[in-house]
């Protein structure tokens, strides 16, 4: 086998963001928009990358230089994943990687974690190394931490395991939840947010109000536990109410924005059971859960407030091999 194509899904945080960075649980689901990656071995000792969605074209490096010198933003996750894989499994061969994403990197659907997972998965197949899901998680999580220094790893777990997960910081617990579907509506706020900046913003706040922030995280953890039960029981009314409470805490942490709040309130007024931001905040997406007969009104409310509806289904497959050549 000389070439392989793998794909991994994007994700949406349901409840528990930020608290999950600090030893608490969260709930995450996957979306049907995927990132695909093709990897092929080369005779030359080169690392080559084509990633048009993140403006990387004709990127080349000699094998000894991988992971060194300045790496363009769009190439970082693939290059460091290749570097970490090489170092751990001691292989060396030229490699060409091509990526294509079905969703905009602006949405916060986790293109960085999906591409990291796909890179390691593809290399393990090309070099015949059997990795368990947890081994794949650990190497991909290390890669993300090497680059951004922070993060719970929930997005990595979503890309690997797929479906809907109850996840605890650093993968201490990754529990797939048996659900069929989730009546979610997703609205993009039109603003790209930077996760690390928002985590650091709360960290500063926590220096000033350590006990308050810690207790907010405890409350969010309690909401996640109850929302997990509501989810399993398909009790969407309760799930929505818990989402609303979670949004209140995110607001108090300072990561909501006026635009997100406007969209969230509009969906609630249009009949959603609940709505909240999804992810780090500061922009990106909001999610709403609504009864079937209110879905269109909720979608219209988002559009009316200047948001963009992202048509997606949730609870999708984790990383898969698309084809070998
Ligand atoms: O910005 P997103 O969609 O990648 O979500 C970040 C969620 C955080 O809890 C803030 C960070 C993390 O790694 O869990």
């Amino acid at each position: 086998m000389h070439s392989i194509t793998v794909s991994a899904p994007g994700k949406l945080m349901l409840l528990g963001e930020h608290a999950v960075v600090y030893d608490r649980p969260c709930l995450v689901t996957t979306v049907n928009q995927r990132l695909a990656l093709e990897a092929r071995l080369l005779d030359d000792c080169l690392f080559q990358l084509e990633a048009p969605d993140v403006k990387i074209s004709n990127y080349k490096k000699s094998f000894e230089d991988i992971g060194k010198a300045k790496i363009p933003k769009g190439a970082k996750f693939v290059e460091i994943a290749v570097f970490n894989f090489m170092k751990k499994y001691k292989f060396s061969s030229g490699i060409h990687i091509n990526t294509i994403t079905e969703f905009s990197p602006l949405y916060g659907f986790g293109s960085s974690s999906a591409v990291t997972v796909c890179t390691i998965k593809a290399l393990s197949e090309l070099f015949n190394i059997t990795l368990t899901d947890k081994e794949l998680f650990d190497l991909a999580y290390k890669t993300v931490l090497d680059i951004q220094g922070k993060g719970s790893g929930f997005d990595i777990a979503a890309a690997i395991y797929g479906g809907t997960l109850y996840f605890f910081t650093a993968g201490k617990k990754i529990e797939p939840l048996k659900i069929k579907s989730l009546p979610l509506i997703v609205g993009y706020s039109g603003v790209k947010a930077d996760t690390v900046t928002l985590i650091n913003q709360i960290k500063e706040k926590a220096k000033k109000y350590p006990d308050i922030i810690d207790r907010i995280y405890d409350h969010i953890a309690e909401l996640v536990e109850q929302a997990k039960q509501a989810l399993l029981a398909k009790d969407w009314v309760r799930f929505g109410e818990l989402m609303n409470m979670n949004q209140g805490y995110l607001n108090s942490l300072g990561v909501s924005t006026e635009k997100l709040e406007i969209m969230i309130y509009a969906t609630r007024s249009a009949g959603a059971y609940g709505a909240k931001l999804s992810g780090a905040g500061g922009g990106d997406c909001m999610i709403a859960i609504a009864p079937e007969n209110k879905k269109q009104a909720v979608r219209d409310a988002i559009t009316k407030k200047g948001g963009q509806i992202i048509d997606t289904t949730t609870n999708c497959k984790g990383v898969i091999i698309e084809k070998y050549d």
Side-chain angles (χ1 to χ4, degrees):
M1 181 222 319
H2 291 292
S3 136
I4 186 166
T5 305
V6 299
S7 76
K11 55 82 190 137
L12 278 170
M13 177 69 92
L14 294 174
L15 278 95
E17 46 272 89
H18 289 290
V20 68
V21 180
Y22 302 98
D23 260 335
R24 268 86 170 187
C26 75
L27 296 173
V28 54
T29 192
T30 40
V31 297
N32 65 346
Q33 276 107 329
R34 303 180 73 84
L35 179 140
L37 178 147
E38 186 221 70
R40 116 177 96 81
L41 300 179
L42 298 174
D43 292 331
D44 304 338
C45 271
L46 278 180
F47 165 63
Q48 296 180 344
L49 177 63
E50 295 290 335
D53 300 315
V54 281
K55 299 187 175 60
I56 297 290
S57 125
N58 202 18
Y59 181 70
K60 275 191 197 126
K61 249 182 178 176
S62 78
F63 233 69
E64 307 83 72
D65 291 336
I66 293 188
K68 297 183 195 141
K70 202 166 151 38
I71 307 174
K73 204 169 160 220
K76 264 190 190 157
F77 289 87
V78 175
E79 185 168 335
I80 301 298
V82 171
F83 177 77
N84 281 339
F85 184 88
M86 263 173 32
K87 210 164 124 191
K88 180 151 187 181
Y89 297 104
K90 302 186 181 32
F91 85 84
S92 85
S93 159
I95 186 129
H96 178 96
I97 289 180
N98 210 352
T99 66
I100 177 142
T101 324
E102 286 176 345
F103 53 87
S104 161
L106 301 179
Y107 294 167
F109 274 9
S111 47
S112 310
S113 43
V115 84
T116 305
V117 165
C118 283
T119 304
I120 297 172
K121 178 73 179 172
L123 294 181
S124 70
E125 292 290 328
L126 283 178
F127 292 95
N128 270 325
I129 291 166
T130 310
L131 293 182
T132 63
D133 284 349
K134 190 61 173 50
E135 284 166 337
L136 176 55
F137 174 86
D138 289 340
L139 197 55
Y141 185 42
K142 172 187 163 33
T143 302
V144 169
L145 289 184
D146 286 348
I147 296 165
Q148 58 183 44
K150 295 192 174 75
S152 64
F154 83 104
D155 40 4
I156 296 280
I160 296 172
Y161 294 80
T164 299
L165 304 172
Y166 170 86
F167 174 90
F168 203 96
T169 318
K172 283 177 209 156
K173 192 155 190 197
I174 303 173
E175 185 185 332
L177 300 177
K178 282 204 182 83
I179 59 160
K180 280 216 175 86
S181 63
L182 202 61
L184 272 196
I185 296 150
V186 185
Y188 176 55
S189 68
V191 180
K192 172 77 198 122
D194 180 57
T195 305
V196 176
T197 307
L198 286 144
I199 293 178
N200 286 337
Q201 212 172 289
I202 301 186
K203 211 167 158 197
E204 284 309 306
K205 202 171 248 179
K207 282 185 191 154
K208 210 165 163 189
Y209 306 105
D211 295 343
I212 294 175
I213 303 282
D214 203 52
R215 264 178 269 150
I216 289 178
Y217 288 158
D218 281 342
H219 286 298
I220 292 177
E222 178 60 28
L223 292 176
V224 168
E225 297 301 341
Q226 295 208 20
K228 178 185 170 191
Q229 299 314 322
L231 191 64
L232 291 170
K234 291 197 217 136
D235 186 343
W236 305 129
V237 175
R238 194 173 169 87
F239 192 77
E241 282 167 359
L242 293 162
M243 280 170 73
N244 286 342
M245 286 188 244
N246 194 164
Q247 175 60 24
Y249 287 119
L250 289 165
N251 190 321
S252 67
L253 291 171
V255 295
S256 193
T257 64
E258 194 176 336
K259 177 77 181 278
L260 284 167
E261 291 293 332
I262 288 170
M263 290 164 71
I264 288 165
Y265 273 89
T267 58
R268 290 179 190 160
S269 305
Y273 295 133
K276 63 180 279 294
L277 65 83
S278 172
D284 285 355
C285 289
M286 50 75 65
I287 51 176
I289 196 145
E292 202 49 47
N293 63 348
K294 292 285 165 54
K295 273 189 171 168
Q296 194 50 50
V298 169
R299 291 166 67 95
D300 293 346
I302 291 174
T303 319
K304 228 188 216 161
K305 297 297 177 190
Q308 180 193 332
I309 294 291
I310 304 177
D311 272 310
T312 190
T313 54
T314 52
N315 204 34
C316 302
K317 265 198 198 115
V319 67
I320 50 169
I321 295 166
E322 300 277 356
K323 68 178 171 114
Y324 295 105
D325 282 311

